[in-house]
């Protein structure tokens, strides 16, 4: 056996070269990995509504939202693994970091499952406005929901290791397997006549297990595994110090990003959750490009720190995202009403489409923020945004409560727009990119305003069409003029 006292060099430099695969190629791979499950998800929503109904589907979405909050029980170890492994050059060091984080995440996932079991029994029985006939089903389904928590924690660490090794093909294939399994298996159970909540969540657990199995196999190739799984004590401190702030973020961020559905479920009922969650989940697909690019850049920021080259990538990344995403946001706003009418029917469209438009405008502003937001933990400063989240938490919850009680689900969407905009502006300010962002996004603003006006005239076909063409033309022209040479070169390399 190799001497464990001496670091083992990475002889396969091609697996993790200093600069890695091109940013364009990595971004496209990450984008594809996000788009494929989206297509599956879009196809399954009408089928779910037909098979189990709007109210039962709203309860299922509420359960998944509740589960999302317990993803914080990975203690931020997934992000910590991505940051540390990206900087490590030996197989042994990477395995010390990986196995320590993996075993700690399993332990914390079990603790999270126990907490979810007891808290879920109370919330679904007494707090959420669930129809009386569904409450016993949901109480019986909570153990299945709790069993998914440890898998979520483990997936985070596995994904962090793959991201650090820039194994983006393996990362996306394994994540696609898990996400598609989570979407398809409960639907398959419903189509076979088993639509009770315990069966649906048991099928979701099976989908998660499938994803974990594939991810373990891909991680074994990319890391690769060395020695027996064990906790390496010197790694505990650095992982927990870094992961501690990420973990606090994991506890606070869901209060900022998913508590809206809890408020809606408590104040307006399960049917309102469906009318809000469908446009929310759809519009989040517009964050895929920022997510794909920021994921591709994370290992580079981790290695490059605050160097001049990293700052140039940061500035060009912001410009590039504004340029590329603006036409897509404009097109999304223009197509919301006709697409929703075909997809979910006119009744649900009347309630859901305005929510989607508000959320899309928020994504237009916040999308470029993904780059500086991801850079901060990569250079070892995950604490900065967490401190800001803690400051804004109470004001946001008050605004969310007030706007939801006053304006319903559109009010909830507006509160999310206010929060995401404030997050973006602070992050741009702290990373000294606020001027770059304002100068880049200002010329694209007329296109967004024209698109909103066109969407509001959706019943006046000629006026809506004229304004729509004008907004899309303006968006394309401003985007072509502002697209940086850096991104053009990287997109042309592959």
């Amino acid at each position: 056996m190799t001497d464990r006292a001496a670091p083992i060099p990475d002889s396969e430099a091609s697996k993790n070269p200093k600069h890695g695969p091109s940013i364009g190629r990595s971004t496209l791979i990450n984008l594809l990995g996000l788009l494929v499950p989206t297509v599956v998800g879009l196809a399954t929503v009408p089928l779910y509504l037909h098979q189990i109904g709007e109210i039962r589907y709203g309860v299922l979405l509420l359960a998944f939202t509740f589960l999302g909050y317990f993803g914080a029980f990975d203690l931020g170890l997934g992000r910590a693994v991505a940051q540390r492994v990206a900087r490590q050059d030996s197989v042994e060091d990477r395995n010390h970091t990986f196995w320590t984080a993996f075993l700690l995440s399993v332990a914390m996932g079990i603790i999270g499952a126990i907490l979810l079991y007891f808290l879920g029994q109370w919330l679904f029985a007494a707090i959420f406005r669930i129809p009386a006939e569904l409450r016993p089903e949901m109480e019986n389904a909570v153990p299945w929901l709790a069993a998914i928590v440890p898998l979520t924690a483990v997936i985070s660490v596995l994904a962090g290791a793959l991201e650090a090794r820039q194994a983006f093909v393996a990362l996306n294939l394994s994540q696609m397997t898990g996400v598609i399994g989570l979407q398809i298996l409960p639907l398959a159970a419903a189509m076979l006549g088993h639509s009770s909540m315990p069966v649906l969540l048991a099928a979701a657990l099976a989908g998660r297990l499938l994803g974990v199995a594939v991810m373990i196999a891909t991680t074994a190739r990319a890391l690769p595994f060395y020695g027996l799984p064990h906790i390496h004590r010197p790694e505990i401190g650095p992982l927990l110090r870094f992961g501690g702030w990420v973990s606090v973020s994991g506890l606070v961020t869901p209060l900022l990003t998913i508590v809206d559905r809890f408020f809606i479920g408590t104040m307006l009922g399960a049917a309102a959750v469906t009318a809000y969650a469908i446009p929310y989940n759809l519009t989040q697909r517009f964050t895929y490009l920022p997510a794909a690019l920021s994921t591709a850049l994370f290992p580079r920021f981790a290695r490059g720190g605050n160097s001049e080259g990293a700052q140039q990538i940061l500035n060009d990344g912001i410009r590039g995202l504004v340029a590329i995403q603006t036409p897509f946001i404009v097109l999304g706003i223009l197509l919301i009403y006709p697409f929703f009418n075909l997809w979910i029917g006119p009744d649900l469209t009347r309630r859901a489409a305005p929510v989607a438009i508000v959320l899309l405008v928020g994504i237009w502003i916040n999308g470029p923020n993904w780059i500086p937001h991801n850079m901060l933990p990569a250079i070892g400063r995950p604490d900065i945004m967490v401190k800001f989240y803690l400051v804004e938490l109470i004001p946001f919850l008050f605004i969310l409560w007030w706007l939801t009680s006053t304006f319903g689900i559109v009010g909830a969407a507006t509160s999310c727009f206010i929060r995401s905009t404030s997050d973006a502006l602070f992050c741009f300010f702290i990373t000294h990119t606020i001027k770059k962002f304002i100068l880049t996004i200002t010329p694209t603003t007329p296109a967004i305003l024209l698109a909103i006006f066109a969407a509001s005239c959706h019943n006046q076909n000629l006026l809506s069409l004229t304004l729509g063409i004008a907004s899309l033309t303006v968006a394309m022209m401003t985007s072509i003029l502002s697209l940086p040479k850096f991104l053009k070169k990287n997109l042309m390399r592959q």
Side-chain angles (χ1 to χ4, degrees), residues 28-38 172-173 175-176 288:
L28 290 174
I29 291 170
N30 294 334
L31 190 59
L32 183 63
L34 293 168
L35 288 175
V36 172
T38 296
N172 286 283
L173 284 175
Q175 286 185 326
M176 278 193 292
Y288 283 177

Side-chain angles (χ1 to χ4, degrees), residues 304-322:
N306 280 313
S307 66
E308 185 177 339
Q311 187 65 37
Q312 185 62 45
I313 292 176
L314 176 64
N315 290 333
D316 286 342
I318 291 171
R319 286 183 59 203
L321 281 177
V322 172

Side-chain angles (χ1 to χ4, degrees), residues 269-281:
V273 173
T274 299
Y276 181 85
I278 287 177
Y280 184 93
N281 291 338

Side-chain angles (χ1 to χ4, degrees), residues 375-398:
M375 186 197 74
L376 290 173
I379 63 174
R381 293 303 309 270
D383 59 301
I384 292 177
M385 288 306 298
V386 179
K387 292 172 182 175
F388 180 75
Y389 293 153
L390 291 170
V391 170
E392 74 171 343
L393 177 59
I394 299 302
F396 167 68
L397 292 177
F398 173 77

Side-chain angles (χ1 to χ4, degrees), residues 37 66 71 82 87 99-100 108 124 165 167 195 215 237 254 262 264 311 319 324 366 408 422 457-458 494:
F66 187 52
R87 298 183 174 193
W99 285 120
T100 301
M108 290 307 302
F124 286 105
R165 299 292 290 149
S195 59
M215 190 167 280
F262 291 150
I264 292 168
Q311 187 65 37
R319 286 183 59 203
I324 294 175
N366 192 53
S422 64
C457 302
H458 62 93
Q494 299 298 323

Side-chain angles (χ1 to χ4, degrees), residues 243-268:
W245 283 110
V246 180
S247 183
V248 173
S249 175
L251 291 169
V252 176
T253 302
L255 288 175
L256 298 170
T257 58
I258 66 176
V259 73
D260 47 0
R261 275 140 288 176
F262 291 150
F263 270 60
I264 292 168
T266 302
M267 299 168 66
L268 305 177

Side-chain angles (χ1 to χ4, degrees), residues 66-140:
F66 187 52
L67 176 65
Y69 185 77
F70 278 78
F73 276 88
D74 77 330
L75 285 181
L77 293 171
R79 192 87 303 207
V81 165
Q83 197 261 356
R84 285 184 62 77
V85 170
R87 298 183 174 193
Q88 293 169 333
D89 293 319
S90 80
V91 174
E92 186 178 33
D93 289 342
R94 292 196 295 265
N95 272 261
H96 285 328
T97 299
F98 171 77
W99 285 120
T100 301
F102 184 89
L103 295 174
L104 288 174
S105 71
V106 170
M108 290 307 302
I110 293 172
I111 294 173
I114 295 171
L115 290 176
L116 186 149
Y117 175 80
F118 290 105
L119 186 60
Q121 294 284 350
W122 170 62
L123 287 174
F124 286 105
I127 301 300
F128 296 142
R129 291 181 60 185
I130 296 174
E133 64 272 15
L134 286 180
R135 287 186 180 181
E137 277 190 40
M138 197 58 227
E139 290 176 39
N140 293 330

